[in-house]
Amino acid sequence: MKKHLNTLFVTTQGAYLAKDGETVAVRIEGETALRVPLHTLESIVCFGNVGCSPFLMGSCGQRNVGLSFLSEQGRFLARVHGPVTGNVLLRREQYRRADDLDFSAAVATACVLGKVVNSRTVLLRALRDHGDKIDAQVVQESINRLGAAARRLQEGLSLAEIRGVEGDGARTYFSAFDHLIVRDKANFFMHRRSRRPPLDRINCLLSFVYTLLLHDIRSALETVGLDPAVGYLHRDRPGRAGLALDLMEEFRPMADRLVVSLVNLAQLRCDDFVCSDGGGVRMSDTARKTVLVAYQKRKQEEMTHPFVEEKMTIGLFFHMQALLFARYLRDELDGYPPVIWR
Amino acid sequence: MHESTDRHCDDHSPLEVKLYDEDDLIMISSLQHYLFCTRQCALIYLEQQWLENRFTAEGRVLHERVHTSGRESRRKLRIEYDVPIRSLQLGVAGRADIVEFHRQDNGLWQPFPVEYKRGRPKKDDTDRVQLCAQALCLEEMLECAVPEGALYYGEKKRRTSVIFDASLREKTAQTAAAVHALLTEAKTPPPHYDKRCESCSLLALCLPTVATRKQVGRYLRKMVEL
């Protein structure tokens, strides 16, 4: 099995990464604070003012270690990678199929189905775990509607209709989401999804975790030789990672659960966030670290992949999904099987 | 190359032989992969996928040591390391780990390819075919006969001599033609799971059991029963 390797997150402002033999040396104020062997890394993610030597960039490119630069807030800035790998024939097939609206609809159905069913599972679990503390009726109502949406998706809809179901599903799901938060409701609540900027702490958390997720899925797609930009549900738009966003749909509910448990288990507090006078909410350094650690830990948990029926770390699921997608494009599978959590 | 080797030619004129373009040469190593598994060959050379496992890493380390290009010279023996070679007849190109040149009694230098392998001799022909392809390259480039070479196995620390007889040459040519056909057709063959798969470095990419058994439609219906 392919090994699931670590991701090195560097959040210390002013840090500098250099190649030191076969290791990455993290220098802070001239002192080497940490040394990590390159072969144990899958990717390196730098937040904010973190520098990096060109030799390290070269090595990362050569060894397929993803190296990304994000703003301090986690907005994607740039990534370094070596020569484009993979098969040009596969990418052409990916592009050709994106022009085929029936094929696109089939992929979109699978992605949205994964998202809707997994969202429903998140709500079901909340009902099971906190049924006494939350407004069970509202949550149950959303569960029913998501179930109906999943059934509707099996009717062979057009792309526009699938998008409609996806939009309705997301609204239904997020309308119940606030009920999942059972601690410190004065500070942690979500009335509606907001992104630009996030207007409350939960939205701020969700956006950050989605960024991490997108980064991982994008890398996985590149590793198997697919172009993360050309999607099926998400049509081409310059600067948008369409296919990465397509495959991300099924994983969003997993990210949501992570956010909910961070809050409900009191791992994050109200003052871990900074509210700007303009209304936007940002995370503090400590909050960001807490989330990163939790995210990494989650990725290291082992689960049986529902389609492949093999045990692997959740971090490897991204890679497996990219691989399955490539197999679908090569006609070795009769469809794209999203991960459905049970 | 060697001033004395070019005089050592058998006079066979390749009249009707179709020559490949330099652009269309395939890697010599692909022959070996093809003989091991046609799907593995397609995954590596068509889909450009590669996963390192313990075996490939060991092989790489071994070759890094061998592949320091250079030469040694003695009175009756010259050794050249990491020698770039090609054959337009077979349509292959690559590097030979080692080519020895043995000085004959008549003063000519006889090329003698040696390939390093980790592990032990295999039951199948794959290593012999790879070495034979190198010999055919040397014959074409130096216009001379190369009747014999050797495989060096790391685990045995011993050389095994290989005679390039007509049947091995035929098999090598057929394999090269088959790899060309596979890459021209540009279609990855479906997987066939067997016990060799467990030692294959590409197992995690190939998914031999998943791609043959699983049906997505059924999976989705099962998972979405609400």
Side-chain angles (χ1 to χ4, degrees), chain B residues 5-36:
Chain B
T5 45
D6 53 7
R7 280 188 282 116
H8 192 102
C9 61
D10 274 348
D11 195 26
H12 54 86
S13 41
L15 272 178
E16 299 294 319
V17 180
K18 175 205 163 212
L19 295 184
Y20 284 94
D21 236 34
E22 281 198 338
D23 275 349
D24 298 332
L25 303 184
I26 55 173
M27 299 272 284
I28 291 177
S29 51
S30 66
L31 273 52
Q32 203 187 4
H33 292 124
Y34 183 89
L35 288 175
F36 176 73

Short mmCIF file of all heavy atoms in Angstrom, two decimals, chain B residues 5-36:
data_model
loop_
_atom_site.label_atom_id
_atom_site.label_comp_id
_atom_site.label_asym_id
_atom_site.label_seq_id
_atom_site.Cartn_x
_atom_site.Cartn_y
_atom_site.Cartn_z
N THR B 5 37.63 -1.26 -32.07
CA THR B 5 36.43 -2.09 -32.09
C THR B 5 35.70 -2.02 -33.42
O THR B 5 35.03 -2.97 -33.79
CB THR B 5 35.46 -1.70 -30.97
OG1 THR B 5 35.36 -0.30 -30.94
CG2 THR B 5 35.91 -2.24 -29.63
N ASP B 6 35.79 -0.91 -34.10
CA ASP B 6 34.96 -0.78 -35.30
C ASP B 6 35.46 -1.68 -36.44
O ASP B 6 34.76 -1.86 -37.41
CB ASP B 6 34.85 0.69 -35.74
CG ASP B 6 36.21 1.33 -35.90
OD1 ASP B 6 37.21 0.60 -35.78
OD2 ASP B 6 36.26 2.55 -36.12
N ARG B 7 36.59 -2.23 -36.30
CA ARG B 7 37.05 -3.14 -37.35
C ARG B 7 36.56 -4.57 -37.10
O ARG B 7 36.77 -5.45 -37.89
CB ARG B 7 38.58 -3.12 -37.44
CG ARG B 7 39.10 -1.92 -38.21
CD ARG B 7 40.57 -2.02 -38.46
NE ARG B 7 41.34 -1.67 -37.28
CZ ARG B 7 42.13 -2.51 -36.63
NH1 ARG B 7 42.23 -3.75 -37.03
NH2 ARG B 7 42.80 -2.10 -35.58
N HIS B 8 35.92 -4.74 -35.96
CA HIS B 8 35.57 -6.09 -35.56
C HIS B 8 34.16 -6.45 -36.02
O HIS B 8 33.32 -6.87 -35.26
CB HIS B 8 35.65 -6.15 -34.03
CG HIS B 8 35.59 -7.53 -33.50
ND1 HIS B 8 36.69 -8.20 -33.07
CD2 HIS B 8 34.55 -8.38 -33.32
CE1 HIS B 8 36.34 -9.39 -32.65
NE2 HIS B 8 35.04 -9.53 -32.78
N CYS B 9 33.87 -6.22 -37.29
CA CYS B 9 32.48 -6.43 -37.66
C CYS B 9 32.25 -7.70 -38.47
O CYS B 9 33.07 -8.10 -39.27
CB CYS B 9 31.95 -5.23 -38.43
SG CYS B 9 32.83 -4.94 -39.96
N ASP B 10 31.10 -8.30 -38.17
CA ASP B 10 30.62 -9.36 -39.04
C ASP B 10 30.02 -8.66 -40.24
O ASP B 10 29.37 -7.63 -40.10
CB ASP B 10 29.49 -10.14 -38.35
CG ASP B 10 30.05 -11.24 -37.48
OD1 ASP B 10 31.27 -11.51 -37.59
OD2 ASP B 10 29.28 -11.78 -36.67
N ASP B 11 30.18 -9.26 -41.39
CA ASP B 11 29.67 -8.55 -42.55
C ASP B 11 28.24 -8.97 -42.86
O ASP B 11 27.98 -9.71 -43.80
CB ASP B 11 30.60 -8.80 -43.76
CG ASP B 11 30.31 -7.80 -44.85
OD1 ASP B 11 29.81 -6.70 -44.52
OD2 ASP B 11 30.54 -8.11 -46.02
N HIS B 12 27.31 -8.52 -42.02
CA HIS B 12 25.90 -8.77 -42.37
C HIS B 12 25.27 -7.42 -42.67
O HIS B 12 25.29 -6.50 -41.86
CB HIS B 12 25.16 -9.51 -41.25
CG HIS B 12 25.25 -8.85 -39.91
ND1 HIS B 12 24.40 -7.86 -39.52
CD2 HIS B 12 26.13 -9.03 -38.90
CE1 HIS B 12 24.71 -7.46 -38.30
NE2 HIS B 12 25.76 -8.15 -37.91
N SER B 13 24.74 -7.30 -43.87
CA SER B 13 24.20 -6.00 -44.25
C SER B 13 22.69 -6.01 -44.04
O SER B 13 21.98 -6.79 -44.66
CB SER B 13 24.53 -5.70 -45.71
OG SER B 13 24.36 -6.88 -46.48
N PRO B 14 22.20 -5.16 -43.17
CA PRO B 14 20.76 -5.15 -42.86
C PRO B 14 19.98 -4.43 -43.94
O PRO B 14 19.73 -3.25 -43.85
CB PRO B 14 20.70 -4.39 -41.53
CG PRO B 14 21.95 -3.58 -41.50
CD PRO B 14 22.93 -4.17 -42.45
N LEU B 15 19.59 -5.19 -44.97
CA LEU B 15 18.97 -4.57 -46.15
C LEU B 15 17.52 -4.19 -45.91
O LEU B 15 17.13 -3.04 -46.02
CB LEU B 15 19.06 -5.52 -47.34
CG LEU B 15 20.33 -5.42 -48.18
CD1 LEU B 15 20.31 -6.46 -49.30
CD2 LEU B 15 20.50 -4.01 -48.76
N GLU B 16 16.72 -5.18 -45.54
CA GLU B 16 15.28 -4.96 -45.47
C GLU B 16 14.81 -4.57 -44.07
O GLU B 16 13.64 -4.64 -43.77
CB GLU B 16 14.54 -6.24 -45.90
CG GLU B 16 14.83 -6.68 -47.33
CD GLU B 16 14.30 -5.68 -48.35
OE1 GLU B 16 13.18 -5.17 -48.14
OE2 GLU B 16 14.99 -5.40 -49.35
N VAL B 17 15.75 -4.19 -43.21
CA VAL B 17 15.37 -3.94 -41.83
C VAL B 17 14.75 -2.56 -41.68
O VAL B 17 15.29 -1.57 -42.15
CB VAL B 17 16.61 -4.06 -40.92
CG1 VAL B 17 16.22 -3.80 -39.48
CG2 VAL B 17 17.24 -5.41 -41.09
N LYS B 18 13.61 -2.54 -41.05
CA LYS B 18 12.95 -1.26 -40.79
C LYS B 18 13.62 -0.61 -39.59
O LYS B 18 13.81 -1.25 -38.55
CB LYS B 18 11.47 -1.52 -40.50
CG LYS B 18 10.73 -0.28 -40.09
CD LYS B 18 9.49 -0.61 -39.26
CE LYS B 18 9.02 0.64 -38.53
NZ LYS B 18 8.40 0.36 -37.26
N LEU B 19 14.00 0.63 -39.73
CA LEU B 19 14.64 1.32 -38.61
C LEU B 19 13.66 2.26 -37.93
O LEU B 19 12.88 2.94 -38.60
CB LEU B 19 15.86 2.10 -39.10
CG LEU B 19 17.00 1.26 -39.68
CD1 LEU B 19 18.17 2.16 -40.04
CD2 LEU B 19 17.44 0.18 -38.71
N TYR B 20 13.71 2.30 -36.62
CA TYR B 20 12.87 3.23 -35.87
C TYR B 20 13.50 4.62 -35.86
O TYR B 20 14.72 4.76 -35.99
CB TYR B 20 12.71 2.76 -34.42
CG TYR B 20 11.76 1.61 -34.26
CD1 TYR B 20 12.22 0.30 -34.24
CD2 TYR B 20 10.39 1.84 -34.10
CE1 TYR B 20 11.34 -0.76 -34.08
CE2 TYR B 20 9.51 0.78 -33.93
CZ TYR B 20 9.99 -0.52 -33.92
OH TYR B 20 9.12 -1.56 -33.75
N ASP B 21 12.68 5.62 -35.70
CA ASP B 21 13.13 6.98 -35.53
C ASP B 21 13.69 7.15 -34.12
O ASP B 21 13.21 6.53 -33.19
CB ASP B 21 11.91 7.91 -35.64
CG ASP B 21 12.10 8.93 -36.70
OD1 ASP B 21 12.76 8.60 -37.72
OD2 ASP B 21 11.61 10.06 -36.51
N GLU B 22 14.66 8.03 -33.95
CA GLU B 22 15.18 8.28 -32.60
C GLU B 22 14.07 8.71 -31.65
O GLU B 22 14.08 8.39 -30.47
CB GLU B 22 16.28 9.34 -32.65
CG GLU B 22 17.61 8.78 -33.11
CD GLU B 22 18.77 9.68 -32.75
OE1 GLU B 22 18.54 10.89 -32.52
OE2 GLU B 22 19.90 9.17 -32.69
N ASP B 23 13.10 9.44 -32.19
CA ASP B 23 11.99 9.91 -31.35
C ASP B 23 11.13 8.76 -30.81
O ASP B 23 10.42 8.92 -29.83
CB ASP B 23 11.06 10.81 -32.17
CG ASP B 23 11.55 12.23 -32.17
OD1 ASP B 23 12.47 12.52 -31.38
OD2 ASP B 23 11.03 13.03 -32.98
N ASP B 24 11.15 7.64 -31.50
CA ASP B 24 10.23 6.55 -31.15
C ASP B 24 10.89 5.45 -30.33
O ASP B 24 10.31 4.39 -30.13
CB ASP B 24 9.64 5.95 -32.43
CG ASP B 24 8.83 6.98 -33.20
OD1 ASP B 24 8.30 7.90 -32.55
OD2 ASP B 24 8.75 6.88 -34.43
N LEU B 25 12.11 5.69 -29.87
CA LEU B 25 12.78 4.64 -29.10
C LEU B 25 12.12 4.47 -27.73
O LEU B 25 11.71 5.44 -27.10
CB LEU B 25 14.26 4.99 -28.91
CG LEU B 25 15.05 5.21 -30.20
CD1 LEU B 25 16.52 5.45 -29.89
CD2 LEU B 25 14.89 4.03 -31.13
N ILE B 26 12.00 3.24 -27.31
CA ILE B 26 11.47 2.96 -25.98
C ILE B 26 12.63 2.57 -25.04
O ILE B 26 13.71 2.23 -25.50
CB ILE B 26 10.43 1.82 -26.01
CG1 ILE B 26 11.05 0.58 -26.67
CG2 ILE B 26 9.18 2.26 -26.73
CD1 ILE B 26 10.19 -0.65 -26.60
N MET B 27 12.37 2.65 -23.75
CA MET B 27 13.41 2.32 -22.79
C MET B 27 13.70 0.82 -22.80
O MET B 27 12.77 0.00 -22.83
CB MET B 27 12.95 2.68 -21.37
CG MET B 27 12.65 4.14 -21.18
SD MET B 27 14.13 5.01 -20.71
CE MET B 27 14.26 4.50 -19.00
N ILE B 28 14.96 0.46 -22.73
CA ILE B 28 15.31 -0.96 -22.66
C ILE B 28 14.62 -1.62 -21.47
O ILE B 28 14.14 -2.75 -21.56
CB ILE B 28 16.84 -1.13 -22.55
CG1 ILE B 28 17.51 -0.71 -23.87
CG2 ILE B 28 17.20 -2.58 -22.23
CD1 ILE B 28 19.02 -0.77 -23.84
N SER B 29 14.54 -0.90 -20.37
CA SER B 29 13.94 -1.50 -19.17
C SER B 29 12.47 -1.87 -19.37
O SER B 29 11.94 -2.73 -18.67
CB SER B 29 14.07 -0.54 -17.99
OG SER B 29 13.60 0.74 -18.36
N SER B 30 11.81 -1.24 -20.35
CA SER B 30 10.38 -1.54 -20.55
C SER B 30 10.17 -2.98 -20.99
O SER B 30 9.12 -3.56 -20.75
CB SER B 30 9.77 -0.58 -21.56
OG SER B 30 10.33 -0.77 -22.84
N LEU B 31 11.18 -3.58 -21.62
CA LEU B 31 11.04 -4.97 -22.07
C LEU B 31 10.85 -5.90 -20.88
O LEU B 31 10.01 -6.80 -20.88
CB LEU B 31 12.30 -5.40 -22.85
CG LEU B 31 12.35 -5.12 -24.35
CD1 LEU B 31 12.04 -3.68 -24.66
CD2 LEU B 31 13.68 -5.55 -24.92
N GLN B 32 11.66 -5.61 -19.87
CA GLN B 32 11.61 -6.42 -18.67
C GLN B 32 10.26 -6.26 -17.97
O GLN B 32 9.66 -7.24 -17.53
CB GLN B 32 12.72 -5.89 -17.77
CG GLN B 32 13.20 -6.85 -16.79
CD GLN B 32 14.16 -6.15 -15.86
OE1 GLN B 32 14.37 -4.93 -15.95
NE2 GLN B 32 14.71 -6.90 -14.96
N HIS B 33 9.80 -5.00 -17.88
CA HIS B 33 8.51 -4.77 -17.24
C HIS B 33 7.39 -5.44 -18.03
O HIS B 33 6.46 -5.99 -17.46
CB HIS B 33 8.25 -3.27 -17.11
CG HIS B 33 9.18 -2.60 -16.13
ND1 HIS B 33 9.97 -1.53 -16.46
CD2 HIS B 33 9.46 -2.88 -14.84
CE1 HIS B 33 10.68 -1.17 -15.41
NE2 HIS B 33 10.39 -1.97 -14.41
N TYR B 34 7.50 -5.40 -19.36
CA TYR B 34 6.47 -6.01 -20.20
C TYR B 34 6.39 -7.51 -19.96
O TYR B 34 5.31 -8.08 -19.84
CB TYR B 34 6.77 -5.73 -21.68
CG TYR B 34 5.71 -6.26 -22.62
CD1 TYR B 34 4.61 -5.48 -22.96
CD2 TYR B 34 5.81 -7.54 -23.15
CE1 TYR B 34 3.63 -5.97 -23.81
CE2 TYR B 34 4.84 -8.04 -24.01
CZ TYR B 34 3.75 -7.25 -24.34
OH TYR B 34 2.78 -7.74 -25.17
N LEU B 35 7.56 -8.14 -19.87
CA LEU B 35 7.57 -9.59 -19.67
C LEU B 35 7.02 -9.96 -18.29
O LEU B 35 6.40 -11.00 -18.11
CB LEU B 35 8.99 -10.14 -19.82
CG LEU B 35 9.52 -10.15 -21.25
CD1 LEU B 35 10.96 -10.61 -21.28
CD2 LEU B 35 8.67 -11.05 -22.15
N PHE B 36 7.24 -9.07 -17.31
CA PHE B 36 6.72 -9.33 -15.97
C PHE B 36 5.21 -9.18 -15.98
O PHE B 36 4.48 -10.02 -15.46
CB PHE B 36 7.37 -8.38 -14.96
CG PHE B 36 6.82 -8.53 -13.57
CD1 PHE B 36 7.14 -9.64 -12.79
CD2 PHE B 36 5.99 -7.55 -13.03
CE1 PHE B 36 6.63 -9.78 -11.51
CE2 PHE B 36 5.48 -7.68 -11.75
CZ PHE B 36 5.81 -8.81 -10.99
#
